[in-house]
Amino acid sequence: MSRPPLAREKVLDAFEALLVDEGARAATMDATAKAAGVSKGGLLYHFASKDALAAGILERLVRLVDEDVAGMASAPDGPVAHFLRTSVMENDPLDRVILATARLAQGGSAQAADALRDIRERWAAAIRPAAPDGAALDLVMLVSDGLYFNNSLAGGNIPGPVPRGPAMEALIALVERAIRS
């Protein structure tokens, strides 16, 4: 699949940043054009409406989650370890698009809320073969949620109160022992 044009990605990056930094109400067409450094006509060439911009964010989310799920499947230490490590926000493209999608959902977008539920199910499906039962799967998903939430407590790009390095590896080992028992 070919990459979208650079100008289109620049506009989408600007819209995403506005959603993350200021919320759905502030992410207007005019603000997006200004943040992207394009004319309103340039913006409209790629995205005819705010709904089209939101659809672009959701397409980006699906693409990045596809890559993440593929990474889980091929991770040398398995999907659980990969998933828990990547549950700690690093301000990478996947983190930013998840936050942008959450902002759209908070603003009332049913499509964004559905997309968030869908990616959660896709992650669960990738973990399910490594989790012997529903309780084990729930444990992995809830630990991931806790890591993601606790990371957000510090705000911005500052690392939150989550384990890193050897502490993260110890947590992963503990979760993997618990789901095997």
Side-chain angles (χ1 to χ4, degrees):
M1 186 157 112
S2 64
R3 282 209 33 90
L6 184 59
R8 182 182 189 280
E9 288 298 298
K10 186 176 177 182
V11 168
L12 207 51
D13 290 345
F15 183 63
E16 180 182 278
L18 285 166
L19 286 168
V20 170
D21 297 340
E22 300 179 37
R25 293 179 101 182
T28 64
M29 297 289 282
D30 288 333
T32 300
K34 182 178 178 182
V38 300
S39 68
K40 184 86 176 259
L43 169 69
L44 294 172
Y45 175 78
H46 295 289
F47 300 98
S49 65
K50 189 172 178 179
D51 286 341
L53 280 165
I57 290 292
L58 299 182
E59 290 167 11
R60 178 180 278 181
L61 175 70
V62 168
R63 178 178 49 81
L64 292 172
V65 169
D66 286 347
E67 293 171 9
D68 191 52
V69 168
M72 291 171 71
S74 65
D77 53 356
V80 171
H82 175 88
F83 184 63
L84 293 178
R85 275 191 205 97
T86 59
S87 294
V88 177
M89 291 187 292
E90 298 290 342
N91 196 32
D92 64 17
L94 181 56
D95 291 334
R96 288 191 302 275
V97 77
I98 290 170
L99 290 173
T101 303
R103 292 291 205 142
L104 289 169
Q106 290 166 343
S109 169
Q111 294 88 352
D114 289 344
L116 291 171
R117 280 189 286 278
D118 180 60
I119 65 167
R120 185 171 176 81
E121 180 49 42
R122 291 185 60 209
W123 283 325
I127 294 164
R128 202 167 275 119
D133 57 34
L137 178 62
D138 288 345
L139 175 64
V140 174
M141 298 302 287
L142 291 170
V143 169
S144 167
D145 290 345
L147 290 168
Y148 199 79
F149 174 78
N150 281 347
N151 202 147
S152 69
L153 294 178
N157 296 328
I158 301 167
V162 295
R164 296 184 187 274
M168 174 59 89
E169 297 311 310
L171 175 67
I172 290 168
L174 180 65
V175 169
E176 288 182 332
R177 274 194 312 275
I179 67 174
R180 283 191 300 269
S181 62

